[in-house]
Amino acid sequence: MKKWRYFFLPALMLGMALGFTGCKKSAEDEQAIKVGEFASLTGKEATFGISSHEGTLLAVEDLNAKGGLLGKKVELLTEDDLSKAGEPATVVNKLISRDGVVAILGEVASSRSLEAAPICQEAHIPMISPSSTNPKVTETGDYIFRVCFIDPFQGTVMANFATKTLKAKKVAVFTDVKSDYSKGLAKFFKEGFIANGGAIVVELDYNGGDKDFKAELTAIKSANPDAIFIPGYYTDVALICIQAKQLGLSVPIFGGDGWESDQLVKIGQDAVEGTYFSTHYAPDVATENSKKFVADYQKRWKTAEGAPKLPDAMAALGYDSAMILADAIKRAGTTDGPKVRDALAATKEFDGVTGKTTINEKRDATKSAVILQVKGGTFHYVETVNP
Ligand code: PHE
């Protein structure tokens, strides 16, 4: 009891102090346009949330440096969803009802966007996912948008890559059944690869977060595929590649945007060397907008080791998502949900870091994909595939 009281008094004082600063908010703060963001800043897919947030925050800072929006500052309120199911609903509800945000930016992972989308739809608060690619995300309703391509396209891109570049005839597919993204991309890849005349010789499942993939990989080995497609996220993929190597599997392994993280190489080391994946953006493709973005991003953000950080697809799409929202608010002349929704739906040829974005009638964007290869521990640009 006593201990508790000792703790309680300072806690109470701290609470009061925070309360006071809350009251002393400047008129400018009160008037700021509040934009909510939810992201996996910690947990299993932490690099997704961190990259996306760094891009998004850079955009908000750029906007404010140029005078903000509708004569007001923009305030970004960011919530960590811990990379965990259940959290997106909690934090997005908070952002909408407690903080009164006018729009939501997020998430990277499709399953987490799918969890938050019905809440935004119901509240008539526009939501823009920077990088969720599962088609169901925007099918939730007319307030839900994305600024990236979708997986029927990404699946076809990798099916054609398997057929034409890898010259594969028989492919094994290894899917994370806990992830809407993984299940969708597996399906679209299979359809494309079969349409190319290829055969799926074995299909196996895992649960994101599993640590031992030996039994499944042994089954894959005995099916004798020419290549293995893993539509998963980097932490699992790195472990799968390590165990595949241990089992003596030496055929090409390839996947989708979920692979993109410096952690893929940090965990996977030489087991991921030579692998390929598709994604949305490569800093090596030096358009004017991208060159400026890379320079600004590197000035603003550092790696854990203190070196200038190279932006990835999530950072670039995070930046574009915030700028596309700002453009819509400007055109709407208000932050009123239904009007911003209409302005977002009318987005045409927005010239951003990841190319031109036009929002189609399904509230998706049509964009090119890039294919990268892991070489010497870094990602090397291989090719751009246009829609
Ligand atoms: N497209 C993935 C999904 O929908 C997320 C992702 C985007 C991962 C971009 C990496 C890069 O779940």
Side-chain angles (χ1 to χ4, degrees), residues 169-173 193 198-203 219-220 223-227:
K169 300 233 159 13
K170 302 176 294 168
V171 166
V173 178
F193 190 64
I200 306 295
V201 283
V202 59
E203 277 178 63
I220 288 176
N224 199 25
D226 302 326

Side-chain angles (χ1 to χ4, degrees), residues 16 113 139 160 244 328:
M16 284 167 69
S113 288
E139 285 166 12
N160 293 344

Side-chain angles (χ1 to χ4, degrees), residues 2 36 56 96 230 270 323 354:
K2 225 182 208 164
T56 305
I96 295 175
I230 313 174
D270 57 340
M323 286 306 192
T354 58

Side-chain angles (χ1 to χ4, degrees), residues 20-37:
F20 279 127
T21 52
C23 292
K24 271 199 262 157
K25 267 192 180 167
S26 68
E28 198 180 70
D29 283 341
E30 296 296 356
Q31 282 187 6
I33 293 178
K34 291 181 179 174
V35 173
E37 181 197 23

Side-chain angles (χ1 to χ4, degrees), residues 176-326:
D176 174 0
V177 284
K178 274 219 272 198
S179 151
D180 292 287
Y181 158 75
S182 192
K183 287 186 285 184
L185 187 53
K187 170 175 176 276
F188 301 122
F189 170 81
K190 279 188 279 173
E191 290 170 2
F193 190 64
I194 291 166
N196 286 347
I200 306 295
V201 283
V202 59
E203 277 178 63
L204 285 156
D205 294 342
Y206 66 93
N207 286 289
D210 283 352
K211 295 283 175 263
D212 185 352
F213 304 94
K214 292 258 170 61
E216 293 80 4
L217 288 167
T218 305
I220 288 176
K221 194 177 178 187
S222 27
N224 199 25
D226 302 326
I228 308 168
F229 182 62
I230 313 174
Y233 291 151
Y234 63 93
T235 33
D236 303 317
V237 169
L239 290 182
I240 293 170
C241 289
I242 291 172
Q243 293 173 26
K245 192 171 183 200
Q246 287 165 353
L247 289 173
L249 266 159
S250 56
V251 294
I253 306 183
F254 64 114
D257 54 353
W259 284 37
E260 193 177 2
S261 168
D262 55 354
Q263 290 296 315
L264 179 80
V265 178
K266 283 203 178 121
I267 304 168
Q269 304 267 339
D270 57 340
V272 297
E273 192 63 19
T275 57
Y276 295 93
F277 62 93
S278 48
T279 188
H280 309 257
Y281 166 82
D284 338 31
V285 181
T287 61
E288 281 311 309
N289 286 350
S290 173
K291 270 196 269 181
K292 180 175 185 322
F293 174 67
V294 172
D296 292 348
Y297 188 89
Q298 292 207 306
K299 237 184 263 160
R300 179 68 177 86
W301 302 109
K302 304 275 172 273
T303 64
E305 295 78 30
K309 193 173 170 184
L310 210 55
D312 56 17
M314 289 137 285
L317 286 166
Y319 187 90
D320 280 353
S321 70
M323 286 306 192
I324 287 167
L325 173 64

